[in-house]
């Protein structure tokens, strides 16, 4: 029973579903919730999951891979280029200084210099998963601290590659076991002749860039045209998994590969769709990863030598903290930002698990030492959310100066146009062109990929995506926009979209296209004030032209149409109220009769003679001396 | 030869007795252009460029309309507001209309004696038309006396026909520069010059 897949899945999901809301409620953040969930279901407490925790971790590391893909999607190449100073400067210095400091300390404790260096390098890394997840959750990614953290983490992810290359050189004896699992170890490339290796590696990277730039947009277009959302999700996942496999094969970090692919796709019109399709997987897999970390904490080992392990955790974290704080200062972060930055990054990261097992296999570090250190890494990761909460609750309030999630750089791509147009078919595009011509900035969402493609080529700001999804609306800037024009043709979707908007963006003015009278009733009942029956104006315009062709005067025909329109809009409101009646069928029938009455009334009311102001008959009669009464 | 532009405005022509007939008398005269404003601009959206082009192409501008509320139908006011642009029609550089002539052709329900100091309307038609007069002067144009059809509430079809012929006579005279030979500035209404013009034309 315990071994079945479904039981396992149930345990993981239940643990997450129970613990994460509790942790959030306590203000501890989701990461700590997941970690606690892992500890509870792990061997230490309920023993639902045992040693397979580490296997799951390998699988769950895919969450980190997806996360970097999503981060890449949010980063345009130009922005990445502007971050190059912080990435190289801050990231490089952080890894370098921490490695040297920890290695030095290790040597003081009498550890061999090669081993010390390995220890230093491994502990210099921080946890991309925990930090980014926590910063995102606290909405701090756009702050200076968030940007600096991101730059440093990115450098660390890159630095793992040379470390993996360097470690075999540190092995004191030549007892190199076959490397297996994890990032970049069992690669096909290592069996190739050494001159060929860099060529294969470089061409793989080039392949990712070229394919991302030129091959994926047409592919997505074809997939989007099938109109099946799950196909789009599948393609997005295939893309990420495919890159991960390719990168692992050539011995590069899969996280780095997908990050690169993300950056390449950041300019694509499918960006938002990709992001929101992949996001749930990212979240769940990351959660799984954190649970696995929690479950793998070796409590018996910790209980065996508590002082040593806790001492190591605290010592290493303080060392990292000092280096980070000093760095933050010299890169002129303000004090509060610097605290967020340093406390956030002071743990040891998930790559350490990989590197420790790798170095143990390579015979660099002893089994005993790596076991101890693995526990240290897990505890330091578990401490991170706590440390961040402490910082937030105890230190930051004392500083008094809080940098708000300040001015976004202009090229951070969330839209803030005043008008969103959902649906850019024949109806929406007319509105869009009209507004564009009047310098009203619009953001357009459309699910027709051909349409999107064509419009983008003409320089319009158009995104591919189903507007009824609140995450997409969010990205399209619905929180800041004033007006949303719903011009999609699907009646069901329109109502769905209205519901979403009312729930998540109640401030937004909603203007909706309606197909006909009955559809307009539905929209009215959904509380919409601005309803535009799509054929009403056009049919009246046609009616006016018919009258003109029949010899009626243009102005009179025009006025007649205007009058009909006003009259029709008024009765529409009355009739929609009838439909609210509980006796639905009765109401519909009555509605029908009313409609017939309206049409009859129009036929006999001499609409064209209503203009009494001009040449009033009573006035003429009076002047002729005839009594008009 | 002068070119005449009739700026016609009637929002409800189907209800008009007089103008329906009148326009049949003026539409086909040589050198006279008939511009039906409510037909061109049923939504009050005036094509200013077209209107200015027409003005430049003509020497005498006639405003033919019912005399609603001592003035013109709304579209003509709109026309003035939009077409007579500053520094085009008036202002230090506005010389587009210099020397052109302008007058009104109006139909009014009341009799002529109602339009006098002692009458029901207390002012003369010419006094009511002061905005047109002054507009013409501001645009450096010459403002002629109006052609007026009074008592349209009681008018007979024969009367209307007679007015139609008078109107035609005046328009032809204008197109042929004949009117200017007469002492037109001394009359209240152009109607008074019709007998003289008829003898001239025959």
């Amino acid at each position: 029973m315990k071994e079945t897949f479904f039981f396992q899945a149930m345990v993981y999901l239940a643990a997450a579903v129970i613990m994460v809301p509790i942790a959030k409620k306590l203000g501890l953040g989701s990461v700590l919730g997941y970690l606690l969930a892992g500890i509870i279901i792990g061997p230490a407490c309920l023993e639902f999951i045992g040693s397979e925790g580490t296997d799951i971790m390998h699988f769950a590391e895919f969450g980190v891979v997806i996360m970097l893909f999503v981060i890449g999607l949010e980063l345009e190449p130009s922005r990445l280029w502007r971050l190059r100073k912080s990435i190289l400067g801050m990231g490089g210095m952080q890894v370098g200084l921490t490695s040297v400091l920890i290695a030095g300390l290790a040597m003081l404790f009498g550890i061999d210099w090669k081993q010390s260096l390995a220890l230093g390098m491994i502990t210099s890394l921080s946890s991309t998963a925990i930090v980014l997840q926590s910063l995102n959750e606290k909405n701090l990614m756009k702050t200076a601290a968030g940007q600096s953290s991101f730059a440093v983490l990115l450098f660390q992810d890159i630095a793992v590659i040379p470390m993996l290359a360097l470690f075999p050189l540190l092995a004191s004896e030549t007892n190199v076991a076959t490397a297996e699992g994890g990032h970049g170890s069992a690669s096909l490339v290592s069996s190739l002749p050494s001159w060929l290796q860099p060529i294969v590696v470089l061409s793989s990277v080039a392949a990712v860039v070229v394919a991302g730039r030129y091959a994926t947009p047409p592919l997505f277009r074809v997939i989007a045209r099938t109109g099946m959302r799950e196909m789009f999700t599948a393609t997005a996942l295939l893309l990420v998994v495919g890159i991960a496999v390719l990168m692992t094969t050539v011995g590069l970090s899969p996280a780095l590969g997908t990050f690169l692919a993300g950056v390449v796709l950041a300019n694509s019109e499918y960006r938002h769709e990709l992001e929101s399709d992949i996001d749930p997987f990212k979240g769940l897999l990351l959660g799984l990863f954190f649970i696995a970390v929690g479950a793998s904490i070796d409590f018996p080992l910790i209980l065996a030598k508590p002082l040593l392990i806790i001492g190591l955790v605290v010592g290493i974290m303080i060392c990292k903290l000092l280096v980070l704080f000093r760095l933050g200062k010299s890169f002129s972060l303000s004090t509060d930002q610097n605290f967020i930055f340093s406390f956030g990054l002071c743990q040891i990261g998930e790559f350490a698990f990989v590197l420790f097992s790798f170095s143990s296999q390579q015979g660099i570090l002893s089994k005993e030492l790596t076991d101890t250190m693995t526990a240290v890494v897990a505890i330091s990761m578990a401490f991170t959310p706590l440390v961040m909460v402490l910082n937030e609750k105890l230190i930051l309030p004392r500083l008094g100066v809080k940098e708000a999630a300040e001015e976004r750089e202009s090229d951070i791509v969330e839209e803030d146009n005043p008008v969103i147009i959902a649906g850019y078919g024949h109806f929406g595009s007319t509105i869009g062109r009209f507004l564009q011509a009047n310098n009203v900035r619009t953001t357009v969402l459309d699910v027709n990929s051909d349409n999107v493609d064509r419009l983008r080529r003409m320089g319009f700001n158009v995104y591919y995506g189903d507007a009824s999804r609140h995450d997409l609306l969010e990205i399209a800037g619905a929180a800041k926009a004033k007006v949303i024009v719903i011009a999609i043709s699907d009646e069901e979707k329109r109502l769905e979209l209205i519901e979403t908007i009312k729930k998540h963006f109640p401030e937004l003015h909603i203007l909706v296209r309606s197909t006909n009278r009955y559809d307009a009733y539905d929209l009215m009942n959904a509380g919409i004030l601005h309803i535009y029956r799509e054929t009403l104006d056009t049919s009246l315009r046609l009616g006016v032209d018919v009258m003109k062709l029949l010899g009626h005067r243009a102005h009179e025909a025009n006025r007649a149409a205007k009058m009909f329109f006003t009259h029709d809009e008024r009765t529409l409101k009355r009739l929609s109220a009838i439909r609210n009646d509980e006796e639905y069928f009765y109401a519909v029938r009555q509605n029908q009769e009313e409609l017939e009455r309206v049409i009859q009334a129009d036929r006999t009311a001499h609409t064209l003679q209503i203009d009494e102001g001009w040449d009033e008959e009573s006035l003429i009669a009076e002047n002729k001396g005839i009594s008009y009464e | 030869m002068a070119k005449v532009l009739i700026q016609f405005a009637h929002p409800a022509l189907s209800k008009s007795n007089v103008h329906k007939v009148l326009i049949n008398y003026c539409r086909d005269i040589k050198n006279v252009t008939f511009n039906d404003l409510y037909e061109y601009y049923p939504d009050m959206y005036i094509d200013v460029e077209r209107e200015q082009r027409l003005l430049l192409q003509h020497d005498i501008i006639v405003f033919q309309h019912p005399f609603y509320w001592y003035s013109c139908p709304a579209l003509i006011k709109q026309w003035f507001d939009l077409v007579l642009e500053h520094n085009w029609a008036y202002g230090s550089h506005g010389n587009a209309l210099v020397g052109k002539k302008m007058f009104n052709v109006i139909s009014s329900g009341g009799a002529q004696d109602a339009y006098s100091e002692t009458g029901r309307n207390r002012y003369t038609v010419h006094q009511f038309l002061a905005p047109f007069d002054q507009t013409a002067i501001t645009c450096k144009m010459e403002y002629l006396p109006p052609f007026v059809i009074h008592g349209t509430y009681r008018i007979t079809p024969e009367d209307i026909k007679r007015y139609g012929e008078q109107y035609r006579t005046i328009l032809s005279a204008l197109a042929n520069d004949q009117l200017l030979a007469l002492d037109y500035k001394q009359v209240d209404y152009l109607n008074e010059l019709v007998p003289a013009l008829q003898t001239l034309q025959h």
Side-chain angles (χ1 to χ4, degrees):
Chain A
M1 174 68 176
K2 265 182 157 187
E3 307 306 319
T4 65
F5 171 74
F6 279 120
F7 180 77
Q8 291 280 326
M10 187 188 75
V11 168
Y12 277 101
L13 291 172
V17 168
I18 294 167
M19 287 313 294
V20 172
I22 293 177
K24 283 244 19 150
K25 189 99 196 154
L26 296 174
L28 298 174
S30 67
V31 176
L32 201 60
Y34 282 121
L35 287 169
L36 284 173
I39 293 170
I40 290 170
I41 62 173
C45 285
L46 299 177
E47 293 182 50
F48 280 130
I49 53 169
S51 53
E52 71 273 16
T54 40
D55 294 334
I56 287 166
M57 202 173 329
H58 285 311
F59 175 67
E61 271 165 20
F62 190 57
V64 182
V65 171
I66 296 186
M67 182 174 65
L68 273 151
F69 180 64
V70 174
I71 292 168
L73 277 180
E74 285 172 6
L75 262 187
E76 280 161 285
S78 58
R79 213 180 120 216
L80 193 60
W81 180 244
R82 271 196 293 106
L83 276 175
R84 68 191 187 278
K85 262 189 202 145
S86 354
I87 295 172
L88 289 178
M90 259 183 151
M93 300 255 286
Q94 187 271 333
V95 171
L97 289 175
T98 314
S99 303
V100 168
L101 180 65
I102 306 256
L105 285 172
M107 279 166 75
L108 279 185
F109 283 99
I111 297 174
D112 164 64
W113 74 269
K114 285 180 178 172
Q115 293 187 7
S116 301
L117 193 58
L119 273 175
M121 285 195 285
I122 295 172
T123 48
S124 73
L125 303 175
S126 316
S127 170
T128 312
I130 288 181
V131 179
L132 291 190
Q133 177 79 5
S134 305
L135 289 177
N136 252 329
E137 224 170 86
K138 295 183 203 301
N139 235 336
L140 290 171
M141 272 316 282
K142 301 262 155 76
T143 62
Q147 298 280 323
S148 309
S149 306
F150 175 76
V152 170
L153 289 165
L154 192 62
F155 182 87
Q156 292 178 353
D157 287 342
I158 300 170
V160 172
I161 303 161
M163 285 184 196
L164 283 166
L166 197 64
F167 272 27
L169 303 177
L170 295 175
S172 40
E173 307 131 59
T174 46
N175 63 343
V176 184
T178 349
E180 46 121 357
H183 294 278
S185 24
S187 72
L188 279 181
V189 174
S190 48
S191 60
L192 293 172
S194 56
W195 61 269
L196 196 55
Q197 288 183 21
I199 296 176
V200 172
V201 170
L202 283 178
S203 26
S204 308
V205 173
V208 170
V209 173
V210 172
R213 187 97 177 74
Y214 300 103
T216 49
L219 173 69
F220 282 131
R221 217 167 294 143
V222 172
I223 297 296
R225 229 174 277 166
T226 65
M228 294 164 73
R229 214 181 123 195
E230 63 272 24
M231 272 305 103
F232 201 93
T233 313
T235 316
L237 278 177
L238 174 66
L239 180 76
V240 176
V241 175
I243 291 168
V245 170
L246 175 70
M247 288 295 130
T248 319
T249 312
V250 300
L252 288 179
S253 151
L256 207 65
T258 50
F259 171 74
L260 197 62
V263 173
V264 174
L265 286 171
N267 282 326
S268 139
E269 68 263 42
Y270 296 103
R271 189 185 76 202
H272 295 328
E273 186 76 1
L274 275 173
E275 199 177 329
S276 51
D277 267 342
I278 270 201
D279 226 36
F281 295 97
K282 178 196 91 174
L284 276 180
L285 284 170
L286 272 184
L288 189 59
F289 172 73
F290 297 134
I291 291 179
V293 171
S296 65
I297 294 177
D298 191 348
F299 283 97
L301 183 73
I302 297 168
L303 290 178
K305 31 188 177 180
L307 281 180
L308 172 70
I309 289 181
I310 295 299
L312 277 173
V313 170
V314 175
I316 292 173
M317 283 178 88
I318 287 177
C319 287
K320 293 192 71 166
L321 192 69
L322 291 176
V323 172
L324 285 163
F325 198 80
R326 185 72 201 80
L327 259 183
K329 258 203 145 130
S330 47
F331 276 81
S332 54
L333 281 180
S334 63
T335 316
D336 61 322
Q337 292 292 299
N338 202 358
F339 271 110
I340 297 174
F341 168 70
S342 336
F343 277 106
L345 288 172
C346 69
Q347 76 294 101
I348 310 170
E350 57 271 8
F351 281 115
F353 295 126
V354 180
L355 290 170
F356 274 125
S357 76
F358 181 65
S359 44
S360 158
Q361 286 151 20
Q362 297 276 323
I364 306 163
L365 300 170
S366 69
K367 172 96 176 58
E368 198 199 346
L369 185 57
T370 52
D371 280 350
T372 310
M373 285 310 292
T374 305
V376 169
V377 173
I379 294 174
S380 85
M381 281 168 84
F383 271 10
T384 309
L386 284 175
V387 169
M388 284 170 99
V389 169
L390 281 183
N391 175 42
E392 202 176 306
K393 295 259 143 74
L394 294 179
I395 300 176
L396 289 184
R398 273 155 223 254
L399 287 173
V401 280
K402 217 168 181 180
E403 189 184 4
E406 29 58 286
E407 358 77 73
R408 294 159 173 276
E409 295 164 65
S410 57
D411 60 338
I412 293 176
V413 275
E414 251 160 62
E415 303 291 347
D416 58 350
N417 291 338
V419 179
I420 298 173
I421 300 178
Y424 215 63
H426 72 275
F427 195 90
S429 61
T430 312
I431 301 161
R433 276 168 36 230
F434 173 73
L435 294 176
Q436 193 105 12
N438 287 289
N439 273 331
V440 177
R441 286 174 301 121
T442 54
T443 303
V444 175
L445 286 166
D446 197 283
V447 282
N448 180 338
S449 51
D450 292 326
N451 219 355
V452 169
D453 188 46
R454 207 169 37 243
L455 288 165
R456 279 180 72 93
R457 255 185 283 141
M458 291 190 282
F460 284 88
N461 210 355
V462 185
Y463 292 112
Y464 172 80
D466 177 354
S468 64
R469 285 169 42 196
H470 112 267
D471 46 355
L472 265 181
L473 280 174
E474 179 85 58
I475 294 165
K480 282 192 221 135
K482 286 202 173 59
V483 170
I484 182 161
V485 177
I486 304 178
I488 50 185
S489 55
D490 185 330
E491 294 158 34
E492 299 276 312
K493 269 264 181 279
R494 286 200 288 254
L495 288 169
E496 203 180 302
L497 179 51
I498 289 167
E499 207 178 306
T500 313
I501 296 166
K502 294 201 137 184
K503 194 156 135 212
H504 296 282
F505 311 101
E507 302 288 300
L508 212 51
H509 289 289
I510 311 176
L511 279 58
V512 193
R513 155 199 195 177
S514 110
T515 312
N516 51 42
R517 218 178 163 83
Y518 300 103
D519 186 36
Y521 296 145
D522 289 338
L523 293 169
M524 276 185 175
N525 294 339
I528 298 301
L529 294 175
H530 306 284
I531 299 169
Y532 301 84
R533 280 178 286 160
E534 62 188 45
T535 48
L536 182 61
D537 299 69
T538 339
S539 9
L540 284 177
R541 239 176 62 213
L542 191 145
V544 167
D545 286 347
V546 169
M547 286 175 68
K548 286 202 278 196
L549 282 172
L550 294 178
H552 288 265
R553 305 264 307 153
H555 182 66
E556 288 175 25
N558 216 39
R559 279 188 62 83
K562 189 77 203 156
M563 251 172 240
F564 181 92
F565 183 87
T566 317
H567 172 74
D568 198 58
E569 288 282 277
R570 243 193 333 257
T571 52
L572 186 78
K573 295 219 157 76
R574 217 172 58 228
L575 291 173
S576 88
I578 294 171
R579 205 181 159 174
N580 271 337
D581 208 310
E582 280 184 316
E583 296 162 9
Y584 182 80
F585 290 106
Y586 173 72
V588 168
R589 206 175 60 235
Q590 209 186 26
N591 186 4
Q592 196 61 42
E593 285 164 10
E594 178 77 23
L595 195 68
E596 280 164 25
R597 256 205 309 283
V598 168
I599 293 168
Q600 277 298 326
D602 282 335
R603 205 177 297 160
T604 51
H606 303 296
T607 322
L608 294 182
Q609 312 281 306
I610 288 175
D611 299 319
E612 290 297 345
W614 293 315
D615 295 333
E616 284 156 89
E617 281 178 36
S618 56
L619 181 67
I620 297 168
E622 194 181 295
N623 275 278
K624 277 183 175 163
I626 308 165
S627 163
Y628 200 71
E629 300 315 317
Chain B
M1 291 293 280
K3 298 190 84 180
V4 181
L5 174 66
I6 300 176
Q7 298 288 52
F8 175 71
H10 200 307
L13 190 61
S14 54
K15 293 168 88 179
S16 158
N17 295 323
V18 176
H19 291 278
K20 247 190 293 195
V21 179
L22 223 53
I23 56 181
N24 289 332
Y25 281 91
C26 64
R27 267 193 156 148
D28 56 343
I29 306 170
K30 202 167 169 265
N31 280 332
V32 172
T33 307
F34 185 81
N35 189 27
D36 190 340
L37 291 173
Y38 272 103
E39 201 58 17
Y40 274 105
Y41 313 116
D43 46 7
M44 306 275 274
Y45 187 78
I46 291 172
D47 183 347
V48 173
E49 236 175 87
R50 172 181 179 270
E51 290 300 312
Q52 292 185 344
R53 204 169 51 235
L54 278 173
L55 289 177
L56 290 175
Q57 287 164 359
H58 294 83
D59 310 296
I60 298 159
I61 318 298
V62 182
F63 287 93
Q64 181 190 339
H65 57 89
F67 198 47
Y68 285 152
W69 277 109
Y70 311 111
S71 183
C72 57
L75 185 56
I76 291 189
K77 178 65 168 76
Q78 176 92 333
W79 186 95
F80 275 107
D81 295 349
L82 297 177
V83 178
L84 302 183
E85 286 172 327
H86 180 247
N87 279 345
W88 183 81
Y90 69 103
S92 49
H93 302 291
N95 297 319
L97 304 174
V98 172
K100 294 183 192 293
K101 297 180 174 56
M102 173 183 141
F103 69 97
N104 295 71
V105 173
I106 54 180
S107 60
S108 153
Q112 188 169 0
D113 51 18
Y115 288 92
S116 64
E117 261 177 63
T118 51
R120 198 152 44 97
N121 294 316
R122 294 167 56 233
Y123 300 96
T124 64
V125 167
H126 206 114
Q127 281 171 319
F128 282 119
L129 289 174
F132 289 90
D133 189 343
Q134 181 54 36
T135 300
I137 300 308
T138 304
C139 296
K140 305 170 193 101
M141 298 164 84
E142 188 183 348
Y143 188 68
L144 310 188
F147 178 79
V148 186
I149 302 168
H150 277 293
T152 57
Y153 298 140
R154 299 156 187 257
I155 207 163
T156 62
E158 290 72 40
D159 285 338
I160 299 173
K161 259 178 112 173
R162 202 162 38 80
Y163 278 118
E165 273 153 19
Q166 291 185 0
Y167 188 28
R168 194 183 171 90
T169 304
I170 288 171
L171 289 174
S172 315
L174 281 168
N176 294 318
D177 299 323
Q178 289 171 322
L179 183 72
L180 308 178
L182 302 177
D183 199 2
Y184 60 89
K185 282 185 184 166
Q186 299 308 313
V187 296
D188 280 336
Y189 294 167
L190 285 182
N191 307 43
E192 297 162 31
L193 297 173
V194 171
L197 285 172
Q198 275 168 346
T199 44
L200 254 176
Q201 277 168 8
H202 287 116

